[in-house]
PDB file of all heavy atoms in Angstrom:
ATOM      1  N   GLY A   1      -8.967  14.800 -22.007  1.00  0.00           N
ATOM      2  CA  GLY A   1      -8.724  13.747 -21.043  1.00  0.00           C
ATOM      3  C   GLY A   1      -7.285  13.416 -20.923  1.00  0.00           C
ATOM      4  O   GLY A   1      -6.783  13.255 -19.831  1.00  0.00           O
ATOM      5  N   LEU A   2      -6.620  13.280 -22.065  1.00  0.00           N
ATOM      6  CA  LEU A   2      -5.173  12.969 -22.029  1.00  0.00           C
ATOM      7  C   LEU A   2      -4.339  14.054 -21.466  1.00  0.00           C
ATOM      8  O   LEU A   2      -3.467  13.821 -20.620  1.00  0.00           O
ATOM      9  CB  LEU A   2      -4.729  12.682 -23.463  1.00  0.00           C
ATOM     10  CG  LEU A   2      -3.234  12.420 -23.637  1.00  0.00           C
ATOM     11  CD1 LEU A   2      -2.793  11.163 -22.867  1.00  0.00           C
ATOM     12  CD2 LEU A   2      -2.830  12.209 -25.131  1.00  0.00           C
ATOM     13  N   THR A   3      -4.691  15.303 -21.790  1.00  0.00           N
ATOM     14  CA  THR A   3      -3.940  16.481 -21.265  1.00  0.00           C
ATOM     15  C   THR A   3      -4.075  16.591 -19.704  1.00  0.00           C
ATOM     16  O   THR A   3      -3.150  16.809 -19.002  1.00  0.00           O
ATOM     17  CB  THR A   3      -4.370  17.819 -21.918  1.00  0.00           C
ATOM     18  OG1 THR A   3      -4.252  17.600 -23.317  1.00  0.00           O
ATOM     19  CG2 THR A   3      -3.528  19.008 -21.474  1.00  0.00           C
ATOM     20  N   SER A   4      -5.338  16.394 -19.246  1.00  0.00           N
ATOM     21  CA  SER A   4      -5.610  16.526 -17.839  1.00  0.00           C
ATOM     22  C   SER A   4      -4.977  15.385 -17.063  1.00  0.00           C
ATOM     23  O   SER A   4      -4.418  15.591 -15.940  1.00  0.00           O
ATOM     24  CB  SER A   4      -7.067  16.556 -17.590  1.00  0.00           C
ATOM     25  OG  SER A   4      -7.739  17.640 -18.230  1.00  0.00           O
ATOM     26  N   PHE A   5      -4.960  14.140 -17.610  1.00  0.00           N
ATOM     27  CA  PHE A   5      -4.306  13.032 -16.987  1.00  0.00           C
ATOM     28  C   PHE A   5      -2.809  13.304 -16.788  1.00  0.00           C
ATOM     29  O   PHE A   5      -2.236  13.131 -15.687  1.00  0.00           O
ATOM     30  CB  PHE A   5      -4.513  11.769 -17.770  1.00  0.00           C
ATOM     31  CG  PHE A   5      -3.829  10.565 -17.236  1.00  0.00           C
ATOM     32  CD1 PHE A   5      -4.289   9.824 -16.203  1.00  0.00           C
ATOM     33  CD2 PHE A   5      -2.547  10.221 -17.875  1.00  0.00           C
ATOM     34  CE1 PHE A   5      -3.604   8.715 -15.751  1.00  0.00           C
ATOM     35  CE2 PHE A   5      -1.918   9.125 -17.354  1.00  0.00           C
ATOM     36  CZ  PHE A   5      -2.405   8.341 -16.287  1.00  0.00           C
ATOM     37  N   LEU A   6      -2.225  13.760 -17.804  1.00  0.00           N
ATOM     38  CA  LEU A   6      -0.806  14.046 -17.738  1.00  0.00           C
ATOM     39  C   LEU A   6      -0.442  15.246 -16.814  1.00  0.00           C
ATOM     40  O   LEU A   6       0.468  15.260 -16.037  1.00  0.00           O
ATOM     41  CB  LEU A   6      -0.207  14.427 -19.090  1.00  0.00           C
ATOM     42  CG  LEU A   6      -0.278  13.216 -20.133  1.00  0.00           C
ATOM     43  CD1 LEU A   6       0.227  13.789 -21.521  1.00  0.00           C
ATOM     44  CD2 LEU A   6       0.588  12.054 -19.623  1.00  0.00           C
ATOM     45  N   LEU A   7      -1.357  16.217 -16.745  1.00  0.00           N
ATOM     46  CA  LEU A   7      -1.195  17.353 -15.789  1.00  0.00           C
ATOM     47  C   LEU A   7      -1.323  16.804 -14.399  1.00  0.00           C
ATOM     48  O   LEU A   7      -0.570  17.217 -13.504  1.00  0.00           O
ATOM     49  CB  LEU A   7      -2.262  18.408 -16.140  1.00  0.00           C
ATOM     50  CG  LEU A   7      -2.069  19.710 -15.335  1.00  0.00           C
ATOM     51  CD1 LEU A   7      -0.734  20.379 -15.651  1.00  0.00           C
ATOM     52  CD2 LEU A   7      -3.210  20.700 -15.746  1.00  0.00           C
ATOM     53  N   GLY A   8      -2.334  15.945 -14.107  1.00  0.00           N
ATOM     54  CA  GLY A   8      -2.333  15.347 -12.766  1.00  0.00           C
ATOM     55  C   GLY A   8      -1.183  14.584 -12.346  1.00  0.00           C
ATOM     56  O   GLY A   8      -0.690  14.675 -11.270  1.00  0.00           O
ATOM     57  N   VAL A   9      -0.555  13.915 -13.358  1.00  0.00           N
ATOM     58  CA  VAL A   9       0.645  13.132 -13.070  1.00  0.00           C
ATOM     59  C   VAL A   9       1.818  14.121 -12.759  1.00  0.00           C
ATOM     60  O   VAL A   9       2.656  13.842 -11.840  1.00  0.00           O
ATOM     61  CB  VAL A   9       1.025  12.319 -14.323  1.00  0.00           C
ATOM     62  CG1 VAL A   9       2.446  11.732 -14.169  1.00  0.00           C
ATOM     63  CG2 VAL A   9       0.082  11.111 -14.475  1.00  0.00           C
ATOM     64  N   VAL A  10       1.916  15.239 -13.426  1.00  0.00           N
ATOM     65  CA  VAL A  10       2.960  16.190 -13.260  1.00  0.00           C
ATOM     66  C   VAL A  10       2.834  16.863 -11.860  1.00  0.00           C
ATOM     67  O   VAL A  10       3.757  16.984 -11.086  1.00  0.00           O
ATOM     68  CB  VAL A  10       2.979  17.280 -14.330  1.00  0.00           C
ATOM     69  CG1 VAL A  10       3.852  18.396 -13.975  1.00  0.00           C
ATOM     70  CG2 VAL A  10       3.360  16.646 -15.644  1.00  0.00           C
ATOM     71  N   VAL A  11       1.581  17.203 -11.505  1.00  0.00           N
ATOM     72  CA  VAL A  11       1.391  17.885 -10.182  1.00  0.00           C
ATOM     73  C   VAL A  11       1.752  16.892  -9.115  1.00  0.00           C
ATOM     74  O   VAL A  11       2.434  17.274  -8.143  1.00  0.00           O
ATOM     75  CB  VAL A  11      -0.110  18.310 -10.067  1.00  0.00           C
ATOM     76  CG1 VAL A  11      -0.437  18.747  -8.679  1.00  0.00           C
ATOM     77  CG2 VAL A  11      -0.444  19.405 -11.043  1.00  0.00           C
ATOM     78  N   ALA A  12       1.291  15.633  -9.165  1.00  0.00           N
ATOM     79  CA  ALA A  12       1.641  14.697  -8.147  1.00  0.00           C
ATOM     80  C   ALA A  12       3.108  14.405  -8.032  1.00  0.00           C
ATOM     81  O   ALA A  12       3.705  14.263  -7.013  1.00  0.00           O
ATOM     82  CB  ALA A  12       0.789  13.472  -8.291  1.00  0.00           C
ATOM     83  N   TYR A  13       3.782  14.316  -9.230  1.00  0.00           N
ATOM     84  CA  TYR A  13       5.157  13.967  -9.296  1.00  0.00           C
ATOM     85  C   TYR A  13       6.014  15.118  -8.727  1.00  0.00           C
ATOM     86  O   TYR A  13       6.997  14.868  -7.928  1.00  0.00           O
ATOM     87  CB  TYR A  13       5.588  13.755 -10.741  1.00  0.00           C
ATOM     88  CG  TYR A  13       6.988  13.339 -10.871  1.00  0.00           C
ATOM     89  CD1 TYR A  13       7.482  12.054 -10.554  1.00  0.00           C
ATOM     90  CD2 TYR A  13       7.948  14.328 -11.347  1.00  0.00           C
ATOM     91  CE1 TYR A  13       8.852  11.740 -10.704  1.00  0.00           C
ATOM     92  CE2 TYR A  13       9.271  14.008 -11.490  1.00  0.00           C
ATOM     93  CZ  TYR A  13       9.745  12.733 -11.175  1.00  0.00           C
ATOM     94  OH  TYR A  13      11.063  12.421 -11.247  1.00  0.00           O
ATOM     95  N   GLN A  14       5.649  16.372  -8.990  1.00  0.00           N
ATOM     96  CA  GLN A  14       6.387  17.513  -8.501  1.00  0.00           C
ATOM     97  C   GLN A  14       6.266  17.635  -6.976  1.00  0.00           C
ATOM     98  O   GLN A  14       7.215  18.085  -6.294  1.00  0.00           O
ATOM     99  CB  GLN A  14       5.863  18.779  -9.186  1.00  0.00           C
ATOM    100  CG  GLN A  14       6.221  18.781 -10.663  1.00  0.00           C
ATOM    101  CD  GLN A  14       7.713  18.855 -10.969  1.00  0.00           C
ATOM    102  OE1 GLN A  14       8.523  19.397 -10.135  1.00  0.00           O
ATOM    103  NE2 GLN A  14       8.127  18.237 -12.042  1.00  0.00           N
ATOM    104  N   GLY A  15       5.038  17.315  -6.473  1.00  0.00           N
ATOM    105  CA  GLY A  15       4.849  17.351  -5.036  1.00  0.00           C
ATOM    106  C   GLY A  15       5.355  16.164  -4.269  1.00  0.00           C
ATOM    107  O   GLY A  15       5.690  16.337  -3.023  1.00  0.00           O
ATOM    108  N   ALA A  16       5.505  15.066  -4.972  1.00  0.00           N
ATOM    109  CA  ALA A  16       5.867  13.821  -4.226  1.00  0.00           C
ATOM    110  C   ALA A  16       7.228  13.919  -3.620  1.00  0.00           C
ATOM    111  O   ALA A  16       7.508  13.539  -2.485  1.00  0.00           O
ATOM    112  CB  ALA A  16       5.831  12.628  -5.186  1.00  0.00           C
ATOM    113  N   ASP A  17       8.176  14.548  -4.411  1.00  0.00           N
ATOM    114  CA  ASP A  17       9.583  14.587  -3.900  1.00  0.00           C
ATOM    115  C   ASP A  17       9.662  15.339  -2.616  1.00  0.00           C
ATOM    116  O   ASP A  17      10.418  15.088  -1.628  1.00  0.00           O
ATOM    117  CB  ASP A  17      10.490  15.180  -5.049  1.00  0.00           C
ATOM    118  CG  ASP A  17      11.911  15.119  -4.603  1.00  0.00           C
ATOM    119  OD1 ASP A  17      12.462  14.058  -4.198  1.00  0.00           O
ATOM    120  OD2 ASP A  17      12.605  16.183  -4.656  1.00  0.00           O
ATOM    121  N   GLN A  18       8.998  16.532  -2.680  1.00  0.00           N
ATOM    122  CA  GLN A  18       9.009  17.426  -1.417  1.00  0.00           C
ATOM    123  C   GLN A  18       8.256  16.839  -0.270  1.00  0.00           C
ATOM    124  O   GLN A  18       8.727  16.870   0.926  1.00  0.00           O
ATOM    125  CB  GLN A  18       8.387  18.768  -1.759  1.00  0.00           C
ATOM    126  CG  GLN A  18       9.126  19.516  -2.952  1.00  0.00           C
ATOM    127  CD  GLN A  18      10.566  19.892  -2.493  1.00  0.00           C
ATOM    128  OE1 GLN A  18      10.884  20.182  -1.399  1.00  0.00           O
ATOM    129  NE2 GLN A  18      11.449  19.745  -3.500  1.00  0.00           N
ATOM    130  N   LEU A  19       7.067  16.220  -0.510  1.00  0.00           N
ATOM    131  CA  LEU A  19       6.324  15.676   0.588  1.00  0.00           C
ATOM    132  C   LEU A  19       7.083  14.472   1.197  1.00  0.00           C
ATOM    133  O   LEU A  19       7.003  14.268   2.443  1.00  0.00           O
ATOM    134  CB  LEU A  19       4.954  15.165   0.050  1.00  0.00           C
ATOM    135  CG  LEU A  19       4.036  16.294  -0.383  1.00  0.00           C
ATOM    136  CD1 LEU A  19       2.723  15.797  -1.051  1.00  0.00           C
ATOM    137  CD2 LEU A  19       3.645  17.251   0.732  1.00  0.00           C
ATOM    138  N   ARG A  20       7.758  13.690   0.404  1.00  0.00           N
ATOM    139  CA  ARG A  20       8.482  12.548   0.948  1.00  0.00           C
ATOM    140  C   ARG A  20       9.579  13.006   1.936  1.00  0.00           C
ATOM    141  O   ARG A  20       9.794  12.307   2.945  1.00  0.00           O
ATOM    142  CB  ARG A  20       9.171  11.715  -0.220  1.00  0.00           C
ATOM    143  CG  ARG A  20       9.719  10.445   0.225  1.00  0.00           C
ATOM    144  CD  ARG A  20      10.469   9.736  -0.951  1.00  0.00           C
ATOM    145  NE  ARG A  20       9.569   9.460  -2.040  1.00  0.00           N
ATOM    146  CZ  ARG A  20       9.650  10.056  -3.203  1.00  0.00           C
ATOM    147  NH1 ARG A  20      10.554  10.996  -3.401  1.00  0.00           N
ATOM    148  NH2 ARG A  20       8.852   9.723  -4.201  1.00  0.00           N
ATOM    149  N   HIS A  21      10.237  14.129   1.725  1.00  0.00           N
ATOM    150  CA  HIS A  21      11.233  14.625   2.669  1.00  0.00           C
ATOM    151  C   HIS A  21      10.640  14.898   4.077  1.00  0.00           C
ATOM    152  O   HIS A  21      11.386  14.735   5.058  1.00  0.00           O
ATOM    153  CB  HIS A  21      11.935  15.823   2.150  1.00  0.00           C
ATOM    154  CG  HIS A  21      12.823  15.609   0.932  1.00  0.00           C
ATOM    155  ND1 HIS A  21      13.763  14.650   0.952  1.00  0.00           N
ATOM    156  CD2 HIS A  21      12.842  16.163  -0.249  1.00  0.00           C
ATOM    157  CE1 HIS A  21      14.402  14.679  -0.223  1.00  0.00           C
ATOM    158  NE2 HIS A  21      13.810  15.518  -0.962  1.00  0.00           N
ATOM    159  N   TYR A  22       9.427  15.305   4.127  1.00  0.00           N
ATOM    160  CA  TYR A  22       8.805  15.701   5.437  1.00  0.00           C
ATOM    161  C   TYR A  22       7.878  14.598   5.945  1.00  0.00           C
ATOM    162  O   TYR A  22       7.188  14.902   6.972  1.00  0.00           O
ATOM    163  CB  TYR A  22       8.059  16.972   5.259  1.00  0.00           C
ATOM    164  CG  TYR A  22       8.929  18.181   4.840  1.00  0.00           C
ATOM    165  CD1 TYR A  22       8.978  18.565   3.530  1.00  0.00           C
ATOM    166  CD2 TYR A  22       9.762  18.833   5.737  1.00  0.00           C
ATOM    167  CE1 TYR A  22       9.799  19.650   3.076  1.00  0.00           C
ATOM    168  CE2 TYR A  22      10.571  19.885   5.348  1.00  0.00           C
ATOM    169  CZ  TYR A  22      10.595  20.260   4.056  1.00  0.00           C
ATOM    170  OH  TYR A  22      11.389  21.310   3.625  1.00  0.00           O
ATOM    171  N   GLY A  23       7.847  13.500   5.327  1.00  0.00           N
ATOM    172  CA  GLY A  23       6.935  12.435   5.798  1.00  0.00           C
ATOM    173  C   GLY A  23       5.520  12.737   5.633  1.00  0.00           C
ATOM    174  O   GLY A  23       4.665  12.254   6.434  1.00  0.00           O
ATOM    175  N   ALA A  24       5.155  13.635   4.718  1.00  0.00           N
ATOM    176  CA  ALA A  24       3.811  14.045   4.531  1.00  0.00           C
ATOM    177  C   ALA A  24       3.145  13.547   3.271  1.00  0.00           C
ATOM    178  O   ALA A  24       2.601  14.246   2.498  1.00  0.00           O
ATOM    179  CB  ALA A  24       3.730  15.588   4.570  1.00  0.00           C
ATOM    180  N   ASN A  25       3.411  12.239   2.988  1.00  0.00           N
ATOM    181  CA  ASN A  25       2.983  11.694   1.689  1.00  0.00           C
ATOM    182  C   ASN A  25       1.532  11.777   1.513  1.00  0.00           C
ATOM    183  O   ASN A  25       1.071  12.053   0.336  1.00  0.00           O
ATOM    184  CB  ASN A  25       3.484  10.211   1.670  1.00  0.00           C
ATOM    185  CG  ASN A  25       4.954  10.001   1.719  1.00  0.00           C
ATOM    186  OD1 ASN A  25       5.624  10.975   1.840  1.00  0.00           O
ATOM    187  ND2 ASN A  25       5.367   8.791   1.579  1.00  0.00           N
ATOM    188  N   VAL A  26       0.767  11.722   2.546  1.00  0.00           N
ATOM    189  CA  VAL A  26      -0.689  11.587   2.331  1.00  0.00           C
ATOM    190  C   VAL A  26      -1.317  12.935   1.928  1.00  0.00           C
ATOM    191  O   VAL A  26      -2.348  13.007   1.319  1.00  0.00           O
ATOM    192  CB  VAL A  26      -1.329  11.218   3.702  1.00  0.00           C
ATOM    193  CG1 VAL A  26      -1.289  12.283   4.783  1.00  0.00           C
ATOM    194  CG2 VAL A  26      -2.743  10.755   3.463  1.00  0.00           C
TER     195      VAL A  26
END
């Protein structure tokens, strides 16, 4: 549970920066 939670955080964090540049947050 802990490992998967942190992995989900990492995936979203890595994608957030790129998606924010193109206005595709959703």
Side-chain angles (χ1 to χ4, degrees):
L2 178 60
T3 306
S4 300
F5 174 81
L6 296 176
L7 190 59
V9 169
V10 170
V11 171
Y13 181 78
Q14 294 296 328
D17 186 53
Q18 300 298 323
L19 293 173
R20 190 185 299 110
H21 288 308
Y22 299 100
N25 296 3
V26 72

